Amino acid sequence: MTASEKIIAFVRNSFDTALYFAIMAVKENFRNYIRRAGTVGEPKPSVVILGNGPSLAEDLPRLIAQGEHEAMDVMAVNYFALDERFTTVQPAYYVLSDPMFFRDSAYRDRVAELYRVLNERVTWPMNLYVQYYNPEGFDYRAALPNSNIRIVRFHTQMYRGFRSLEFWLFRRGLGSANFGTVVQVGEYVALLLGYKRIELYGVDHTLLDGLCVDDGNRLCRIDRHYYDGAEAAAPQPIYKKVPHVPYTMADYLAEVAELFRGHEVLRDYAAALGARIVNRTRGSMIDAYERNPE
């Protein structure tokens, strides 16, 4: 990097840093809600995060059969509570980060079903992590009066400036690891809670599978989850969750690139803490973490 490039980078990072703190002061705050809530009981040596990828359909029965869900703390995401094995796994941690979970959207009925099931089925202590940013004032406690569920907020304002300051913010529950997928938020939460080994299942990230543009000029792809049936076998138009508008190719590829960059950031942050993130997902497209699919 030349001297002029270093100067430009310093000025840009300084501006981004000042802007971040200004926005946080007005839009959010500087409280470390995750650290304040702490772990659920005495933490186990490692935590497993269950993503939504199709590989989990094969891995989840094996994890349960081998009792791995009892040997490690479990973190689940999104619609896992609708799975009949939810009460068997009994995750100590649950993360919701998509705007559809706190803003009105085309998915409102399924979201309402998720909250109903969480409220009815959770009979063990569980931390539920949700975005601090909540422009429509969604009342999580009204949706989840279950006293076993502790609602914990995480900050969502992205910091893009000096790397050393980014990690300083992470250690204090600030910044944001919401790079594009709920699993990344889960990794951030687990690291902040002090876990030194994080194992990932169901993070296939096959985000370019079947990517195409149909005759209506709509961007389409094959979007598979472990709970999907045959309907996920063909490319379908893809939309942003909130607002419900179609993706353009440029927007989608930019989001995918940011998502994979986020995994590199989390890899480096984990290393700075002396922690390990191990990707145990067969066929995963993530190249940032050490792999152990066995």
Side-chain angles (χ1 to χ4, degrees):
M1 185 179 290
T2 65
S4 61
E5 288 173 333
K6 290 180 180 178
I7 292 173
I8 292 172
F10 178 81
V11 172
R12 182 176 62 247
N13 287 336
S14 297
F15 174 80
D16 288 342
T17 299
L19 180 63
Y20 167 80
F21 280 103
I23 293 174
M24 284 292 290
V26 173
K27 185 178 176 181
E28 299 196 18
N29 60 35
F30 299 97
R31 296 190 181 95
N32 188 343
Y33 295 101
I34 298 171
R35 183 66 58 80
R36 182 181 299 179
T39 59
V40 176
E42 186 67 24
K44 295 173 183 174
S46 57
V47 61
V48 58
I49 301 177
L50 305 178
N52 295 316
S55 62
L56 192 66
E58 179 181 345
D59 287 333
L60 186 57
R62 178 176 55 81
L63 290 173
I64 294 174
Q66 295 178 357
E68 292 190 40
H69 67 293
E70 297 174 344
M72 297 182 285
D73 287 327
V74 178
M75 180 181 290
V77 302
N78 292 355
Y79 292 111
F80 183 76
L82 301 182
D83 191 295
E84 62 182 9
R85 294 161 291 191
F86 173 62
T87 54
T88 299
V89 174
Q90 295 192 1
Y93 310 105
Y94 207 107
V95 185
L96 301 175
S97 69
D98 196 295
M100 67 181 174
F101 292 114
F102 60 90
R103 302 186 69 177
D104 189 35
S105 74
Y107 305 92
R108 64 181 68 86
D109 291 340
R110 194 172 187 212
V111 169
E113 181 187 8
L114 172 67
Y115 287 130
R116 179 187 61 78
V117 170
L118 279 170
N119 192 61
E120 292 178 356
R121 301 178 73 186
V122 176
T123 58
W124 61 92
M126 188 180 80
N127 282 1
L128 173 67
Y129 299 93
V130 299
Q131 287 201 30
Y132 180 92
Y133 177 67
N134 186 5
E136 296 176 10
F138 179 78
D139 190 340
Y140 289 100
R141 183 48 70 194
L144 294 166
N146 187 330
S147 60
N148 292 304
I149 301 174
R150 183 170 188 174
I151 297 170
V152 184
R153 287 168 172 77
F154 61 87
H155 291 289
T156 51
Q157 181 61 37
M158 293 289 294
Y159 174 76
R160 296 292 294 270
F162 300 103
R163 172 55 59 86
S164 58
L165 184 55
E166 181 176 37
F167 287 0
W168 184 90
L169 291 168
F170 278 179
R171 287 193 293 271
R172 286 153 182 81
L174 305 173
S176 175
N178 196 19
F179 295 103
T181 175
V182 63
V183 167
Q184 291 167 315
V185 176
E187 294 172 52
Y188 167 68
V189 169
L191 290 169
L192 193 56
L193 292 175
Y195 288 97
K196 294 301 183 182
R197 182 181 174 91
I198 300 168
E199 298 192 5
L200 307 178
Y201 285 95
V203 290
D204 304 64
H205 277 24
T206 49
L207 300 168
L208 302 180
D209 275 10
L211 196 65
C212 60
V213 177
D214 67 10
D215 291 340
N217 231 20
R218 299 176 302 176
L219 183 63
C220 304
R221 77 175 180 93
I222 299 173
D223 186 16
R224 295 190 181 96
H225 303 90
Y226 80 94
Y227 46 76
D228 289 328
E231 67 274 7
Q236 299 293 330
I238 52 177
Y239 297 86
K240 298 179 181 181
K241 300 291 179 56
V242 178
H244 190 68
V245 296
Y247 271 101
T248 64
M249 182 70 80
D251 284 346
Y252 183 73
L253 292 180
E255 283 195 13
V256 171
E258 174 65 6
L259 183 153
F260 282 103
R261 185 192 77 85
H263 284 298
E264 295 178 351
V265 172
L266 287 164
R267 174 200 61 200
D268 295 343
Y269 176 54
L273 297 176
R276 297 169 61 196
I277 300 175
V278 182
N279 187 0
R280 303 199 64 185
T281 306
R282 293 177 178 83
S284 173
M285 293 295 289
I286 302 172
D287 61 352
Y289 310 127
E290 60 179 286
R291 301 171 79 99
N292 182 6
E294 300 302 325

